[in-house]
Amino acid sequence: MAVNTFVRDCDDSNPLIRALAVRTMGCIRVDKITEYLCDPLRKCLRDDDPYVRKTAAVCVAKMHDINSSLVEDQGFLDLLKDLPSDSNPMVVANAVAALGEICDASPTARASFELNAALVNKLLTALGECTEWGQVFVLDSLALYTPKDEREAKSICERVTPRLAHSNSAVVLSAVRVIMKLMELLEDTEKLQRKMAPPLVTLLSSEPEIQYVALRNISLIVQKRPEILKEEIKVFFVKYNDPIYVKMEKLDVMIRLCSQSNIQAVLAELKEYAAEVDVDFVRKSVRAIGRCAIKVESESERAVQTLLELIQTKVNYVVQEAVVVIKDIFRKYPNKYESIISTLCENLDSLDEPDAKAAMIWILGEYADRIDNASDLLESFVEHFSDDTTQVQLQLLTAVVKLFLKQPTSTQDLVQNVLSMATQESDNPDLRDRGYIYWRLLSTDPGAAKEVVLAEKPCISEETDLLEPALLDELICHIASLSSVYHKPPASFTDSRIPVRRITLPQRAEPTASGSTAEPAAQPEVAAPMPGIPAATVIPTNQGPNNDNLIGDLLSLDTSVQMGGGASDFLSELGGIGPGLGGGAQAPAGAPALSGDLFSLQPGVFQAGTSYSMPKEVWLAPNKGKGMQVEGTFARRQGQLYMDMSISNRAMSAMSGFAVQFNKNSFGLAPATAIPVGAPLGANQNIPISLPLSTVGPVMRMDPLNNLQVAMKNNIDVFYFNCLVPSYALWSEDGQMERKVFLATWKDIPNSNEVQFTLGNVALSSEPAEQRLKSNNVFTIARRNIDGQDLLYVSLKFTNNIWVLGELKFAPTGGTVALALKTRTMDVVQSVQESLDVILHY
């Protein structure tokens, strides 16, 4: 009854009643009510009153969020696309906002709606008459448009520039976003840069929260175009009542704007900051002084003198930060400021933080030939070698080796002592490996050791914290959004199930032979596979330090150690394998006879079998693909991963120009060749395709992990669909571990990473199951029989070097299999269990 009331109210003579009725129905998130909303919403989108039309525009976006297919099938998108041309600016703003939200959520809608010059002109006309938030929506839409030439870009900038004087900071930043993008197409940008500086400075007079957002955006702007604010550095000087998060951001911007013309004022300001009470702020201020010295060479001596004055204060954390930055200054200017080493050595006792100790040790090792008592100073650090962090131990090891190469006669005992502790007493593989390398170099070829250890150091960069140029360009296109605050692309923190609209700065058009300018290339919305990218690796949330290679450091495995107990660890069941470990342990009395000793087995040789492939399923239905239907599955044949598809033409006309590309995905999957469709595909015809895939494409974590987002193009349109890559298709042919490595790896992975399952209704016994698993790249490492139960210990390896170890225990009566899986990458466990279940049942 309530719904009928709303439907009747949509025909009321009062426009406020009509608008409230359609707004209320759009807020009720129930599918059945959504169906009743279709006819009233269609009427309201064509209503004579602009207030009703603007309300209906927002209602379309709400309805799309509830039932996107209904909105597209009922033609509401086409009606909504007409509203940006409306005569009322409020309707235009709401229509643009609704279209933006729908396009962000739907790749199909995104592909069907594109801005053109005529529509952009209408948006610019409505811009000045919109409300402040309407202006934000319009400006955000304009930021997606790439003009065809410099003249059009200049015209848009002139009409957007007045928005820089708006009182709403969101409008100002949105206008900055549009102008920063269009400046890439302009030759003369000096006037625009002068106009942009005052509004950006004004933002720093707002509330602290707005200041922080503005500063994060300004940080991007000064990295791209520092000349915009080069004369405004004093605005970024810290005020006494600024919150700490604002102070930190101001410091970063100050350093980026620091130049020879203003460095004296900056250094004086930073010296004052170093006397503040906030420890983190003081530390960053001291680091900033060092960055000034590295950035402006002509004033580096003044910066060094400032650091020495701070060291004389004897404040512990100030001294330690100063030592760290002085090390970088030594790297930047070798043989220039070594006279201050004696001052640093006077403060050795105050160094208790790893970074400061490591920096001081580096200085002692690097300049050991200039420090009379370098060996005594390093010995004082060696006394606490076992208690120091890995960072300090590594630096101390290298420094002692440097000292030995410079003073070989008097430091033999010291270097022998440190190498022994690094290789025999340390559990850290990095320290142990470096110790062995140094030991072998010194014992076999001291000349080569000197060339390696005492080699000339590369000059350090002036700006070590700048963003990558490609990432910076992408973030510039997302000014006034969360991306510009996080300094991360949207794809890194948004829902990965929807392909993110990727926006990059346009390229300046190059003059053609006729004197005109070529149109800038359109920016792709789905990331294309890139050749030459290294092998992909999934980055899970609970990844261990050595997750990229499960085997670890094979040279340091101690195979003489007996396996530990533990009810959950299957190694406790292998009590009789002691002799294989070289430890001489005997099997306990009464132990069951083994069908084969784990270490007496010969390594199996992989023989190609028939791997499993799921039946094809519909990936793209004809009603979604405008007559094109795509069915497919994934298969692995002769070591190559294939996407097997069947493309059918259910339309009345022929289809041609087929192409396919993938979005970034968890395993770096990308088409290895172009899609093999030559001749046009006639009506009611289909063609089978086997597309080889590579695993060296761009990587981005997906949810679920095996989700693959595909864009397929033909002469009609571009279509998007998702499909799931089965886990077994990603298991490589080199997944058989060595037996000792298997044991050591299982022991090394924590018991908390072991997951157990029960597979029911398995008709296979262990022997045919072993062959079926091998044909799907699951390799048996050992086979045992205990109390009538057959046990298989298996390993498999994903194409991106993720290893999974498993135990399968077959019940004597058949029917069930107890499965235990162990890996450092827990994200893949569920998909591995599902694939093994399918393999054992087909």
Side-chain angles (χ1 to χ4, degrees):
M1 292 179 65
V3 173
N4 291 333
T5 303
F6 293 143
V7 172
R8 283 199 310 271
D9 287 343
C10 289
D11 294 324
D12 195 275
S13 58
N14 188 332
L16 290 177
I17 300 296
R18 297 198 299 273
L20 286 173
V22 75
R23 174 187 295 170
T24 304
M25 293 181 69
C27 292
I28 302 175
R29 302 179 62 83
V30 179
D31 285 339
K32 291 183 179 180
I33 292 182
T34 304
E35 296 174 2
Y36 289 99
L37 178 61
C38 291
D39 291 336
L41 180 58
R42 191 175 286 107
K43 292 179 184 177
C44 290
L45 286 170
R46 298 191 179 101
D47 198 281
D48 294 335
D49 192 279
Y51 184 78
V52 180
R53 294 198 301 275
K54 84 177 187 66
T55 306
V58 176
C59 190
V60 174
K62 293 180 180 179
M63 188 176 178
H64 186 275
D65 188 45
I66 300 171
N67 191 335
S68 59
S69 59
L70 182 64
V71 171
E72 295 173 9
D73 295 341
Q74 292 289 331
F76 287 117
L77 281 181
D78 294 330
L79 293 174
L80 189 60
K81 291 173 189 174
D82 295 335
L83 292 184
S85 302
D86 197 279
S87 59
N88 188 286
M90 292 192 304
V91 178
V92 173
N94 280 24
V96 166
L99 282 169
E101 185 172 336
I102 292 172
C103 289
D104 286 340
S106 170
T108 306
R110 185 186 310 165
S112 62
F113 176 69
E114 290 185 2
L115 291 172
N116 53 46
L119 181 56
V120 167
N121 187 52
K122 293 177 181 178
L123 294 179
L124 288 168
T125 302
L127 182 61
E129 303 177 33
C130 294
T131 64
E132 53 188 4
W133 297 114
Q135 292 181 37
V136 172
F137 292 130
V138 172
L139 289 168
D140 287 347
S141 296
L142 292 174
L144 303 176
Y145 177 66
T146 301
K148 61 184 179 181
D149 53 31
E150 183 180 359
R151 181 180 179 183
E152 185 182 5
K154 187 175 182 180
S155 174
I156 295 174
C157 285
E158 289 176 351
R159 300 175 71 177
V160 169
T161 301
R163 300 302 101 204
L164 293 174
H166 202 282
S167 60
N168 189 312
S169 56
V171 177
V172 174
L173 284 177
S174 295
V176 168
R177 173 186 177 185
V178 175
I179 295 173
M180 284 293 293
K181 180 179 178 181
L182 298 183
M183 284 171 70
E184 296 296 310
L185 300 173
L186 304 179
E187 285 187 0
D188 184 10
T189 61
E190 186 177 351
K191 290 183 179 179
L192 275 176
Q193 290 174 3
R194 287 203 303 266
K195 292 179 180 179
M196 287 177 66
L200 290 174
V201 169
T202 303
L203 291 177
L204 299 181
S205 302
S206 307
E207 295 81 2
E209 294 79 9
I210 295 178
Q211 288 187 51
Y212 177 76
V213 174
L215 286 166
R216 294 293 285 177
N217 283 272
I218 288 172
S219 177
L220 298 175
I221 294 170
V222 298
Q223 287 186 60
K224 185 67 179 177
R225 295 183 179 273
E227 58 273 12
I228 293 177
L229 292 167
K230 65 179 180 180
E231 304 296 336
E232 307 290 343
I233 192 167
K234 290 188 177 181
V235 176
F236 301 99
F237 285 178
V238 171
K239 299 177 182 177
Y240 76 95
N241 57 348
D242 281 338
I244 184 63
Y245 54 87
V246 172
K247 290 181 178 180
M248 294 296 197
E249 292 302 319
K250 283 187 174 181
L251 272 181
D252 285 334
V253 178
M254 281 173 58
I255 300 307
R256 293 197 171 99
L257 293 177
C258 178
S259 63
Q260 187 170 352
S261 61
N262 57 33
I263 190 171
Q264 293 186 21
V266 171
L267 287 176
E269 193 75 11
L270 292 174
K271 185 178 179 181
E272 291 295 325
Y273 299 161
E276 293 283 340
V277 294
D278 190 291
V279 175
D280 291 334
F281 179 57
V282 171
R283 288 178 180 275
K284 190 161 187 175
S285 300
V286 176
R287 287 197 297 270
I289 295 173
R291 289 173 59 186
C292 288
I294 293 172
K295 185 174 183 179
V296 184
E297 183 175 357
S298 60
E299 297 292 330
S300 59
E301 186 170 350
R302 185 188 299 271
V304 171
Q305 186 61 39
T306 303
L307 289 171
L308 288 177
E309 292 174 7
L310 293 176
I311 291 176
Q312 297 302 326
T313 64
K314 302 297 182 180
V315 178
N316 183 272
Y317 52 85
V318 173
V319 172
Q320 303 202 73
E321 286 296 333
V323 170
V324 173
V325 297
I326 286 174
K327 183 203 77 170
D328 293 334
I329 294 174
F330 284 170
R331 286 283 307 276
K332 177 67 176 178
Y333 309 112
N335 304 318
K336 190 172 183 181
Y337 297 113
E338 284 74 12
S339 58
I340 68 173
I341 293 178
S342 58
T343 304
L344 300 180
C345 292
E346 294 172 1
N347 294 273
L348 284 181
D349 294 339
S350 62
L351 304 181
D352 54 14
E353 296 176 3
D355 287 342
K357 292 176 72 173
M360 192 66 221
I361 291 170
W362 181 88
I363 293 172
L364 293 174
E366 188 70 17
Y367 300 101
D369 51 342
R370 305 185 188 183
I371 303 173
D372 296 336
N373 60 338
S375 59
D376 297 334
L377 296 176
L378 286 175
E379 280 184 9
S380 66
F381 286 105
V382 172
E383 293 175 0
H384 307 287
F385 184 87
S386 58
D387 299 327
D388 282 323
T389 62
T390 302
Q391 175 188 3
V392 176
Q393 290 176 335
L394 288 168
Q395 197 61 260
L396 186 55
L397 173 61
T398 302
V400 170
V401 172
K402 289 179 180 177
L403 175 66
F404 173 75
L405 292 172
K406 295 175 180 179
Q407 302 176 14
T409 57
S410 59
T411 57
Q412 290 185 6
D413 293 340
L414 178 61
V415 73
Q416 180 72 31
N417 183 25
V418 173
L419 288 173
S420 297
M421 288 190 292
T423 56
Q424 298 176 17
E425 300 178 14
S426 175
D427 295 329
N428 185 281
D430 292 335
L431 180 62
R432 189 170 58 243
D433 289 350
R434 184 181 294 191
Y436 279 128
I437 291 172
Y438 284 156
W439 204 322
R440 291 174 183 173
L441 274 173
L442 294 174
S443 59
T444 57
D445 192 348
K450 183 172 290 191
E451 292 180 6
V452 171
V453 180
L454 301 182
E456 184 176 352
K457 309 296 183 296
C459 186
I460 64 174
S461 171
E462 293 181 2
E463 296 286 355
T464 57
D465 60 340
L466 292 181
L467 296 172
E468 291 290 333
L471 175 59
L472 178 60
D473 288 351
E474 185 175 357
L475 293 179
I476 288 292
C477 295
H478 290 286
I479 283 176
S481 69
L482 276 179
S483 287
S484 64
V485 177
Y486 292 159
H487 287 189
K488 293 180 180 179
S492 65
F493 59 87
T494 55
D495 190 348
S496 60
R497 290 173 293 183
I498 302 173
V500 176
R501 185 188 313 209
R502 186 177 180 186
I503 314 168
T504 57
L505 292 178
Q507 301 295 319
R508 269 192 57 80
E510 296 295 334
T512 61
S514 62
S516 61
T517 55
E519 186 173 333
Q523 301 298 330
E525 294 190 351
V526 177
M530 299 292 290
I533 292 188
T537 301
V538 178
I539 307 176
T541 55
N542 57 349
Q543 175 171 289
N546 293 322
N547 199 43
D548 56 341
N549 186 353
L550 186 63
I551 295 179
D553 181 13
L554 298 185
L555 295 176
S556 63
L557 285 179
D558 186 0
T559 57
S560 64
V561 180
Q562 298 185 18
M563 301 296 105
S568 62
D569 193 339
F570 86 101
L571 296 175
S572 62
E573 299 177 2
L574 304 182
I577 64 174
L581 294 173
Q586 300 297 320
L594 305 183
S595 60
D597 188 276
L598 179 62
F599 294 106
S600 64
L601 291 176
Q602 295 298 322
V605 179
F606 173 72
Q607 298 176 351
T610 304
S611 60
Y612 176 72
S613 177
M614 291 176 60
K616 290 180 181 177
E617 59 182 9
V618 176
W619 287 340
L620 181 67
N623 62 327
K624 300 290 186 183
K626 297 183 180 179
M628 179 176 69
Q629 175 177 298
V630 180
E631 298 174 291
T633 186
F634 294 87
R636 197 170 187 87
R637 298 187 290 272
Q638 286 79 46
Q640 174 64 52
L641 176 60
Y642 291 88
M643 175 188 270
D644 293 334
M645 295 180 288
S646 177
I647 301 179
S648 304
N649 182 1
R650 307 296 188 202
M652 301 301 295
S653 58
M655 295 180 179
S656 60
F658 290 91
V660 65
Q661 69 182 41
F662 301 162
N663 197 7
K664 295 179 182 180
N665 53 83
S666 302
F667 294 89
L669 299 180
T673 63
I675 190 168
V677 180
L681 185 62
N684 295 318
Q685 292 184 351
N686 67 78
I687 180 173
I689 294 172
S690 187
L691 180 67
L693 305 181
S694 71
T695 57
V696 294
V699 177
M700 181 179 71
R701 179 183 176 81
M702 306 297 290
D703 185 19
L705 209 60
N706 58 342
N707 186 31
L708 182 65
Q709 297 171 343
V710 183
M712 183 169 288
K713 171 183 173 295
N714 59 19
N715 62 316
I716 299 175
D717 207 342
V718 180
F719 305 95
Y720 302 86
F721 58 89
N722 291 0
C723 53
L724 298 179
V725 184
S727 176
Y728 57 78
L730 300 167
W731 299 343
S732 63
E733 285 68 27
D734 59 343
Q736 184 164 17
M737 268 192 178
E738 295 181 7
R739 298 179 301 280
K740 292 186 179 181
V741 175
F742 182 96
L743 275 176
T745 303
W746 188 290
K747 182 182 68 169
D748 188 53
I749 299 175
N751 291 335
S752 59
N753 282 31
E754 180 178 346
V755 185
Q756 299 183 359
F757 305 91
T758 299
L759 310 181
N761 301 320
V762 178
L764 298 175
S765 62
S766 60
E767 292 183 0
E770 180 179 355
Q771 294 303 316
R772 185 174 293 185
L773 291 171
K774 177 186 278 190
S775 66
N776 287 277
N777 295 337
V778 182
F779 300 96
T780 300
I781 308 302
R783 175 187 175 91
R784 297 186 60 201
N785 182 280
I786 299 179
D787 297 333
Q789 295 187 89
D790 287 335
L791 279 75
L792 299 181
Y793 301 111
V794 298
S795 68
L796 62 92
K797 176 186 175 185
F798 281 78
T799 54
N800 59 348
N801 297 325
I802 293 177
W803 287 85
V804 180
L805 313 184
E807 176 196 60
L808 291 90
K809 187 182 298 183
F810 292 78
T813 57
T816 62
V817 175
L819 172 66
L821 297 176
K822 211 169 185 185
T823 178
R824 288 195 176 92
T825 308
M826 299 301 293
D827 303 65
V828 302
V829 168
Q830 188 63 37
S831 64
V832 171
Q833 179 266 327
E834 293 171 355
S835 291
L836 291 176
D837 196 12
V838 169
I839 290 170
L840 293 176
H841 283 91
Y842 76 83

